[in-house]
């Protein structure tokens, strides 16, 4: 077993906290992990000040990771489940009364990979806005692709991989790739 002295660990922490990027990571990590209603209230205050638009009664459960928050707009009474990931570089717009189930991931960028002679990581990104309408329910572990436009009242079943296209109002989607398996009413 590795045995490090407290002095060495304290020094390491001190060096970490001197770096503003690492300091930010510590802050985001700790805020994401505060349990209970207290945690929900702290996260609402924290993220609402950073979002492009933030409605009333935002619930962000534990372990949620948010990137490029200033490009994300959220309506009223939205709940984001445990361990969700939202990446907003290409913009994410979420309506009101939306329920996002645990461990769902929403991405708004793709890596460009057209040039075979250059590593993908050097080719940049394409940005594609994700739009989620009002009264949408997204089940647990869904993956929402860049460019998805999920209109009002849709239901996304658990584990669906939702492609970057438009899904008309009231659609019920399931599977990978997600297909329309029905309509509400
Ligand atoms: C969308 C949902 C509510 C539909 O439930 P339901 O009305 O009871 O529908 P059923 O289970 O009868 O499924 C209807 C059809 O869709 C298919 N289907 C449902 N969910 C599916 C999924 N995730 N992937 C693939 N197919 C799916 C079923 O196989 C069934 O097909 P069949 O008619 O050929 O047998 C449910 O599938 C679901 O995903 N719930 C989310 C649960 C969750 O994540 N809870 C977290 C709370 S935030």
């Amino acid at each position: 077993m590795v045995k490090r002295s407290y002095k060495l660990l304290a020094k390491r922490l001190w060096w970490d906290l001197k770096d503003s990027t690492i300091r930010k990571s510590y802050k985001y990590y700790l805020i994401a992990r505060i349990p209970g209603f207290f945690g929900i209230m702290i996260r609402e205050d924290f993220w609402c000040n950073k979002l492009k638009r933030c409605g009333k009664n935002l619930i962000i459960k534990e372990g949620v990771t948010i990137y490029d928050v200033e490009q994300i707009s959220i309506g009223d009474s939205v709940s984001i489940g445990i361990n969700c990931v939202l990446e907003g570089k290409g913009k994410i717009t979420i309506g009101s009364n939306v329920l996002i189930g645990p461990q769902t991931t929403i991405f708004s960028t793709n890596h460009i990979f057209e040039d075979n002679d250059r590593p993908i990581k050097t080719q940049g990104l394409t940005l594609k806005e994700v739009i989620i309408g009002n009264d949408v329910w997204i089940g647990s572990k869904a993956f929402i692709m860049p460019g998805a436009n999920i209109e009002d009242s849709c239901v996304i079943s658990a584990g669906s991989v939702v492609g970057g296209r438009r899904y008309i109002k009231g659609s019920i989607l399931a599977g990978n790739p997600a297909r329309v398996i029905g309509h509400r009413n």
Side-chain angles (χ1 to χ4, degrees), residues 99-102 137-140 155-160 172-175 181:
L99 278 169
I100 304 179
W137 173 31
I138 302 176
S140 179
V155 171
I156 315 290
S157 79
S160 300
I172 302 170
L173 307 175
I181 60 162

Side-chain angles (χ1 to χ4, degrees), residues 56-172:
K56 289 177 279 181
N57 307 324
L58 173 64
I59 293 177
I60 299 180
K61 303 259 178 79
E62 285 163 67
V64 172
T65 305
I66 303 179
Y67 302 103
D68 301 290
V69 61
E70 64 289 343
Q71 300 278 51
I72 302 177
S73 304
I74 299 183
D76 295 334
S77 303
V78 169
S79 170
I80 304 176
I82 288 176
N83 291 338
C84 284
V85 177
L86 277 67
E87 181 270 308
K89 205 179 201 54
K91 276 194 197 165
I92 299 174
T93 303
I94 299 172
S96 294
N97 298 306
V98 172
L99 278 169
I100 304 179
Q103 300 186 62
T104 286
T105 298
I106 304 176
F107 264 87
S108 61
T109 55
N110 281 325
H111 282 279
I112 298 168
F113 54 91
E114 269 70 17
D115 188 346
N116 285 342
D117 300 324
R118 281 199 296 147
I120 293 173
K121 68 176 189 179
T122 66
Q123 294 188 41
L125 298 168
T126 45
L127 311 183
K128 290 184 173 184
E129 182 176 7
V130 170
I131 301 172
I132 297 169
N134 300 310
D135 187 29
V136 169
W137 173 31
I138 302 176
S140 179
K141 287 194 173 176
F143 191 103
I144 314 295
M145 291 281 188
N149 178 358
I150 301 163
E151 293 188 349
D152 294 352
S153 310
C154 285
V155 171
I156 315 290
S157 79
S160 300
V161 178
V162 178
R165 61 185 185 82
R166 175 176 168 233
Y167 299 89
I168 62 163
K169 189 173 173 171
S171 303
I172 302 170

